[in-house]
Amino acid sequence: MFTYSPLSREKRETRVFRFSSPRQSGSDRISLELGHASLDDDSLQYRALSYVWGDTKNKEDIEVNGKLFSVGENLHALLQTLQHHGVESWLWADAICIQQSDDDEKSWHVQSMCDIFKNGEFVYSWLGPGSEATDVAMDFFSDWGPRALKVGVMEKLWPTYLPTDACGIQDITLSTPSHIYIQRIRRYFFPKPVFEKESTVEDASSTNHEWYDLARFLYDLLHVEGLHGTHGKFIISDLEAGITNLLTKEYWHRIWIFQEVALAREVLLMCGEKFTPISYFEAVLEALWKFCGGFPMFFHDFPLRHGFCEQFPSHLYPNKAILVRQLLCRGGKVSLGTLLLAFSDKTERPLYRATDPRDIVYGILGLLSNDDRHSFGNVDYTNTSWVDLFTQATRSLIKASLTSDSYARERVYTIGHCLPRPRDQPSELPSWVPDWRDVGIKGLPQSLVDPDYSFHDASDSRWSTPYPILSGHDKPSAIKMPGYCVDVVTDVMEYDNEAKNLLEKDRPSDWLARIRGFTKLSKSSDVRNMEGEDYVWRLMLCFHHESFLGSWLNDRPDKTEAAFYIRRLMRQDYPDPQTFQYFLFGSLPLHISQELMVQWKITNSKDVPDTVSSKIRKSDDDTSRDATVVVDGKAQMESKTVDPKCLPGNESISERDVRLFMDGKIRELFLQARSKNSTLFKTAKEMLGIGIGDVRPGDMVVILQNAHVPFILRPRPQDGDGIATNSGGSGSTFTFGGEAWVDGIMFGEFMKTNPKEEIFDIY
C-alpha cells in the first residue's frame, strides 16, 4: 500500500500528480506519479480539481507511484474523464495530495487552500456524470456563452451597485438602483421589436450599438425552442431538464466549493464528457434569470416572453459559489455573513454542507479579509472543536452587525436569529449560537413576528445600531448584553404534543378552545360587546402571514366591522350566509376584498358567476369607493371599499361555503402558530405574550438594548439538578430563550417607565 513522505513546511510544500503508465502492461487501472512542489516556486504550473467527495464507503483502487491507493467513486470518475481527454499537466486534488489521516498536515494545507486554488492555471470543476439532457445543456452554454460575454451580459445586467458588506445573498442580487438597464433594452422591443422586418421603429443600432447588440442577443435567446415553455403542459424539454439538473447538482452545496470556484483564475465546468467555461455558464444564466425568468420581470408585457423559462424555479440561480465569484471578480468584499447566512427557513435547496462541521468555517476562511480571518486563529484540526468555531463565527457576526450601514442593517445576524432548543434536544453549543449545519440546509429561522408587520420597537431605539455586546468577557461561551427586565413568566399554555397529525380535523378547534380557556374569555357570543378580548386575538394574529388583520382590533371606528368578523372567526361563530359577504367584504379595503373573492376561493361556489372576479378587478376607480355595508341586517356607509354591486348575490354563498371558509382560515392560523412553535404565556404583572418553544414558568421577559422585540431569558440552574435557583438578581446568568411578543410593550411603552438598565450574562 502507498505511504506518504513528509512535507517541508518551511518550503511551503504540497504534492502534485500527473498520469503515468500503469505498472502492469495492458491494465486499465489509473496510474499516477505523485511528487512534492513548493507553493513559493513561481515556475510551478498545475491545475486543481474541484469535486464532491460523495460516499467514501465505495472505493476504487488506483496506483500512486506504483502502489495501491483508494479513492472515492466520484474522484475516480473525474480522473477517468481527464485521462480519456489526454490531460498531461500536473494536477492537485485534496484526497490525493493531503495525507487525510494527519490532522497537523491537514491543518496546514487548509490554511494554504486559498493559495492552492488561486495560483493554479485553472480549476476543473467536476459536476458529476452526465446524461443526454445535461449534454444538451452543456452544449447550449458553450454555443451561447461567447456571444453573451461579447454583448456584455455580465457588465450590463449585473447590478451597478453592490452592497459588499451586506450579509444576505438577497441584498446583493436585488440591488440594482432603478434597474437603469430596463429602459435601455425595452426601447428595442416596444411597441414592436426593431429586429422584425415589419417593425416601424427606427433601427437604433447605429447610435448605440452596444445596447442594440445586447437587446438582439436577448431577442434571439427568446426564440430558443427548448426554452420556450409548454404553456401549462407538464412536459419539460431536454434543455430545460439539463439546465435544472446542472444547477441542482450536489456539487454546488459543498462548502469548499465556494472558495474553489471563487478564487480560481479560470474554471472549466465538467459534466460527463462535456466541458464549458464557467464564464459562459454564468453569463447565459444571468441573461435567462434576470432578463427572462427571474427578478425583475420587466418584460411581462412582451408576448414572446410568456411561458419562457417557465420550468425554472427562481431559487436555482444564483447559487452562493457563483455569486461570490462574481463579487470577487468585481473587487467586492466578501463578509462572513455573505457566506453563512440565508434569511429564510423556507430554503428550497441546501446552501452548504460539510462532512466535518469544522469545515463550515475552515472551508470559507480563504475568502475573508485578513482582519475577519484573524479572529479564528490558525486552522487546527487537532485542538479546535466545531463548537469553538461556531461560537466564534456567531460572535463575529453579532459584532459585525454593530458597524453595518443602514442599508444592510435589516439583513445582519443578531441574537434573535437563534431559536431556543427543545428541552429534549440538548446541545453542546451555547444557547445564543445557532447550529450552522442546520442553517446551511434549512436557512435561518424566520422571526416570530411576520416581517410585513414589523413596525414595532419595544426598546424605543428608533432603529439604532442593534444589540450591543460588551467586550471583555473571560468566557468564550458567554456573551454580555445590556437590557431591561420586564417581568417573570408565571403560566404557560400547554399544547397537545402527543397528537401525531397536526392536520387532524378538530385540532385547530381544540387550539382555539385552549386559548379561550387559558385567557379565561367569556362564553358570550355577542361580538359587538367583546372589545376586552381583542388583545388576545391581536396577539395571536401578530405572527401570521395576514398579520395586518391584527391592526383592525384597535379602537378605531373605521375598523369596527372588521373587528366583529375577527372575533367571530376566532370563536368559530358562523354568521348567516345572507349577511356574511357584506359583513366580511364590505368592511375591507378593495384589494383585500379581491384577494378574499379570488384567492380565498369564495368565487368558486357553483352559484357565483364567472364574471364576478373580473368585475371586481374593473371596479378599482374613484366611483366605486363608497359602498353600502350590511352587518347583522343593518345598512351602514363605508368609504373606500368594494362596490357591493360587484359582489355575488346573497344566494351565492351557502352555509357550507361560510363554514369551509372560516374553518380554512382557522386552520391556517393554527398551522402558522405550530410551524413557529409558538407558546402562549402569562406574566406576574398579568401580561399576555407569545414565545417560541420551551417557555417555562420562572423565565424572564427582557428587552435588550436597541432590540425591537422582547426576549425570553432563563436563569441558569446553580445546583446541578436542572432547577433554577436564582431569579435574575445580581450575579445571575442566563440561557437564551428566543423572541417574544408581549401585548402592551411592543411599541416602547415599557421604556417610558424609565427602567433600570442591567447587564445580562448569556451562556
Side-chain angles (χ1 to χ4, degrees), residues 517-662:
F518 182 74
T519 55
K520 296 181 171 56
L521 297 183
S522 69
K523 297 182 179 180
S524 171
S525 60
D526 183 4
V527 296
R528 292 183 173 278
N529 296 304
M530 293 182 181
E531 294 88 349
E533 71 179 42
D534 283 352
Y535 78 101
V536 176
W537 307 131
R538 185 168 57 241
L539 188 68
M540 300 311 299
L541 287 166
C542 73
F543 55 84
H544 188 250
H545 62 76
E546 287 161 13
S547 56
F548 64 86
L549 295 173
S551 66
W552 298 347
L553 294 172
N554 296 318
D555 186 18
R556 293 174 53 184
D558 60 325
K559 301 300 182 185
T560 300
E561 308 304 335
F564 293 167
Y565 160 68
I566 293 173
R567 294 170 198 160
R568 279 190 163 175
L569 178 70
M570 304 305 274
R571 286 181 171 272
Q572 294 180 289
D573 178 14
Y574 306 105
D576 184 343
Q578 292 187 355
T579 61
F580 173 71
Q581 56 197 317
Y582 299 113
F583 171 81
L584 175 57
F585 301 133
S587 61
L588 310 187
L590 178 64
H591 72 285
I592 303 300
S593 301
Q594 292 174 0
E595 283 189 59
L596 293 174
M597 294 292 292
V598 180
Q599 293 184 9
W600 292 351
K601 309 304 182 187
I602 293 297
T603 57
N604 287 344
S605 173
K606 64 179 190 282
D607 297 323
V608 179
D610 293 335
T611 58
V612 168
S613 22
S614 61
K615 285 178 66 180
I616 289 178
R617 285 191 290 271
K618 293 177 181 177
S619 67
D620 191 8
D621 55 54
D622 292 337
T623 62
S624 62
R625 297 303 178 90
D626 292 331
T628 300
V629 182
V630 178
V631 180
D632 291 345
K634 298 180 180 179
Q636 301 178 11
M637 290 301 297
E638 183 75 32
S639 62
K640 295 184 180 180
T641 54
V642 64
D643 185 347
K645 296 178 181 178
C646 297
L647 295 172
N650 288 348
E651 73 283 353
S652 300
I653 299 178
S654 67
E655 184 176 337
R656 179 176 177 274
D657 288 330
V658 174
R659 183 177 292 272
L660 287 175
F661 170 72
M662 297 188 75

Side-chain angles (χ1 to χ4, degrees), residues 105-157:
E105 180 183 309
K106 183 178 175 182
S107 298
W108 178 83
H109 262 103
V110 169
Q111 195 86 28
S112 305
M113 199 73 78
C114 59
D115 292 332
I116 291 172
F117 279 87
K118 187 185 300 182
N119 296 332
E121 293 179 88
F122 60 83
V123 170
Y124 290 113
S125 288
W126 173 248
L127 302 183
S131 64
E132 290 185 12
T134 58
D135 286 352
V136 170
M138 293 290 281
D139 287 341
F140 169 71
F141 290 117
S142 295
D143 292 342
W144 285 82
R147 187 178 168 196
L149 292 176
K150 184 178 180 180
V151 301
V153 165
M154 295 306 295
E155 291 77 19
K156 295 182 179 68
L157 295 189

Side-chain angles (χ1 to χ4, degrees), residues 38-276:
S38 171
L39 293 175
D40 293 331
D41 184 356
D42 293 337
S43 65
L44 176 63
Q45 293 186 337
Y46 64 94
R47 302 169 185 178
L49 308 188
S50 176
Y51 62 98
V52 173
W53 276 46
D55 187 355
T56 56
K57 295 179 181 178
N58 299 320
K59 300 280 191 178
E60 296 283 350
D61 286 337
I62 62 173
E63 290 181 5
V64 175
N65 293 345
K67 304 293 184 180
L68 281 179
F69 189 96
S70 295
V71 296
E73 286 182 329
N74 198 43
L75 176 56
H76 188 264
L78 169 55
L79 294 172
Q80 282 183 320
T81 303
L82 293 174
Q83 187 176 49
H84 174 73
H85 285 275
V87 174
E88 297 180 349
S89 63
W90 288 99
L91 303 170
W92 188 95
D94 55 357
I96 297 173
C97 298
I98 301 175
Q99 186 174 351
Q100 297 294 327
S101 60
D102 185 338
D103 281 345
D104 185 54
E105 180 183 309
K106 183 178 175 182
S107 298
W108 178 83
H109 262 103
V110 169
Q111 195 86 28
S112 305
M113 199 73 78
C114 59
D115 292 332
I116 291 172
F117 279 87
K118 187 185 300 182
N119 296 332
E121 293 179 88
F122 60 83
V123 170
Y124 290 113
S125 288
W126 173 248
L127 302 183
S131 64
E132 290 185 12
T134 58
D135 286 352
V136 170
M138 293 290 281
D139 287 341
F140 169 71
F141 290 117
S142 295
D143 292 342
W144 285 82
R147 187 178 168 196
L149 292 176
K150 184 178 180 180
V151 301
V153 165
M154 295 306 295
E155 291 77 19
K156 295 182 179 68
L157 295 189
W158 180 262
T160 55
Y161 164 71
L162 294 176
T164 55
D165 291 322
C167 291
I169 191 169
Q170 296 91 334
D171 294 328
I172 298 173
T173 57
L174 307 183
S175 60
T176 310
S178 305
H179 302 291
I180 262 178
Y181 50 80
I182 298 176
Q183 293 304 323
R184 293 181 179 177
I185 296 175
R186 278 183 65 93
R187 60 180 295 207
Y188 297 105
F189 286 86
F190 296 94
K192 201 153 194 173
V194 301
F195 322 107
E196 297 179 359
K197 292 181 180 180
E198 63 272 21
S199 174
T200 58
V201 180
E202 182 180 353
D203 188 343
S205 61
S206 60
T207 59
N208 196 349
H209 64 87
E210 60 176 351
W211 287 99
Y212 174 90
D213 291 342
L214 175 57
R216 180 60 197 244
F217 168 78
L218 296 171
Y219 176 81
D220 292 343
L221 196 62
L222 282 168
H223 286 79
V224 174
E225 183 177 353
L227 294 174
H228 216 281
T230 55
H231 301 288
K233 299 177 183 177
F234 294 99
I235 302 171
I236 185 169
S237 69
D238 282 346
L239 179 54
E240 291 171 320
I243 293 175
T244 301
N245 187 294
L246 292 174
L247 290 173
T248 53
K249 291 283 190 182
E250 177 65 21
Y251 175 83
W252 302 111
H253 308 157
R254 193 171 73 95
I255 192 72
W256 286 104
I257 298 304
F258 291 8
Q259 71 171 355
E260 293 171 6
V261 167
L263 296 176
R265 298 176 187 174
E266 301 289 342
V267 176
L268 190 65
L269 291 179
M270 303 170 58
C271 185
E273 294 295 319
K274 297 292 183 177
F275 298 72
T276 195

